[in-house]
Amino acid sequence: MSEENCTHDCGSCGVDCGSRTEPMKEQTNALSHVKKVIAVVSGKGGVGKSLVTSLMAVMMNRCGHQTAILDADVTGPSIPKIFGIHERAVGTENGILPCRSKTGIKVMSVNILLEDETAPVVWRGPIIAGTVKQFWTDAIWEDVDYMFVDMPPGTGDVPLTVFQSLPLDGIIIVTSPQELVSMIVEKAVNMANMMNIPILGLVENMSYLQCPDCNKKIQIFGESHVEEVAHKHKLKVLAHLPIDPNIANKCDNGLVEQIEGNWLNDAIKIIEQLDK
């Protein structure tokens, strides 16, 4: 499109012209073909983004889809441990080969690049953001149906880089039941709206504890406010994940692929509809 015919809708334009007000989306490695990209975000830490990211990838994989995880939480990477991945990524002249989980899920994380996976990543924001961008551009993802991006908390350099540089098809916002979280969710919602990124829905983690004797659901953190927040922003609540010692134990031991549960079925249906 020539500049005189510019519609000023940079989000849907592939021309790098002088009038561009939005950055161009980064291209993947020539050997990569990623169909759909979904980011898992939250306005604060400790709500379970990595758990939701991992479970979504596992369950989509069980449905027969080729799945992958880009771990964008560079300073607090946990995806490799959740999947029990301890080997290092291998580089070739064509790019970096992501590691694979036991069931074939592709994973790219800073922890699979470090000699010591417990070494702290003490980098400034622009370097961290650049690393995340390279995970997208330099890794040889091959064929991927659904890639999930595990985001760091907040609305800083990395979320901004991912929102601007990756062709996101939508985001899932993870929250917890505390009333404080309603404000935190709104920050994530507002950022997504500012960047014109579709919000697929909310997932509430640590929603309840189910008594093993009577099956009663106990709300450890008090009454949930997620429905109120969802209604305010016209969003769907996709799932309520329980507090379950078995889930924590499986993740701690790198066995997330052994977790069984139908909590995220509605989220899976929403994501699969992106192809229709």
Side-chain angles (χ1 to χ4, degrees):
M1 181 183 295
S2 63
E3 289 196 34
E4 58 265 27
N5 296 322
C6 181
T7 64
H8 303 289
D9 181 9
C10 300
S12 60
C13 177
V15 178
D16 190 15
C17 70
S19 300
R20 172 165 286 278
T21 58
E22 295 181 11
M24 292 280 285
K25 300 297 184 184
E26 296 288 341
Q27 298 297 310
T28 57
N29 184 290
L31 300 176
S32 301
H33 181 218
V34 181
K35 294 180 181 177
K36 298 295 179 183
V37 185
I38 298 95
V40 181
V41 310
S42 178
K44 69 185 294 294
V47 297
K49 291 183 301 300
S50 297
L51 171 64
V52 172
T53 301
S54 301
L55 288 178
M56 288 300 307
V58 168
M59 293 179 182
M60 293 296 281
N61 190 54
R62 288 176 186 166
C63 291
H65 304 295
Q66 294 290 328
T67 60
I69 297 177
L70 190 160
D71 188 356
D73 194 353
V74 174
T75 58
S78 56
I79 295 296
K81 178 175 174 58
I82 290 175
F83 281 89
I85 297 173
H86 300 287
E87 63 264 29
R88 306 276 78 79
V90 177
T92 72
E93 61 182 10
N94 295 316
I96 306 169
L97 297 174
C99 291
R100 290 179 182 260
S101 72
K102 299 176 185 69
T103 62
I105 297 170
K106 298 166 188 173
V107 173
M108 192 67 226
S109 171
V110 73
N111 257 22
I112 64 175
L113 299 175
L114 301 174
E115 290 187 12
D116 179 5
E117 62 183 24
T118 64
V121 177
V122 188
W123 299 342
R124 294 192 181 276
I127 298 176
I128 294 173
T131 299
V132 171
K133 192 182 294 187
Q134 283 187 289
F135 287 170
W136 171 255
T137 59
D138 294 2
I140 303 175
W141 293 104
E142 299 178 319
D143 291 327
V144 172
D145 296 320
Y146 297 98
M147 174 182 286
F148 296 92
V149 182
D150 184 24
M151 301 276 272
T155 55
D157 285 339
V158 171
L160 184 60
T161 295
V162 171
F163 281 20
Q164 289 182 330
S165 303
L166 271 61
L168 294 181
D169 294 282
I171 67 169
I172 293 174
I173 300 175
V174 182
T175 180
S176 58
Q178 296 97 320
E179 186 173 2
L180 168 67
V181 172
S182 61
M183 180 187 69
I184 304 300
V185 169
E186 289 199 41
K187 289 182 181 292
V189 169
N190 291 336
M191 182 176 185
N193 289 337
M194 286 173 58
M195 306 295 294
N196 296 315
I197 305 296
I199 302 172
L200 303 180
L202 307 178
V203 171
E204 184 179 68
N205 189 31
M206 298 178 284
S207 183
Y208 61 90
L209 172 68
Q210 189 156 9
C211 176
D213 296 322
C214 67
N215 289 327
K216 179 181 178 181
K217 292 183 178 180
I218 305 167
Q219 295 179 315
I220 298 293
F221 295 107
E223 183 180 355
S224 171
H225 297 272
V226 69
E227 299 290 348
E228 300 169 17
V229 176
H231 178 74
K232 178 179 179 180
H233 295 283
K234 297 180 174 60
L235 300 173
K236 294 180 180 179
V237 178
L238 302 178
H240 297 270
L241 297 184
I243 298 172
D244 188 337
N246 179 59
I247 293 177
N249 181 62
K250 294 291 188 186
C251 290
D252 287 345
N253 290 283
L255 302 173
V256 69
E257 290 159 300
Q258 294 182 10
I259 295 175
E260 300 288 342
N262 60 2
W263 315 288
L264 290 165
N265 283 1
D266 288 344
I268 290 173
K269 292 176 183 177
I270 290 291
I271 291 174
E272 287 182 325
Q273 288 174 4
L274 293 173
D275 287 324
K276 298 178 181 178

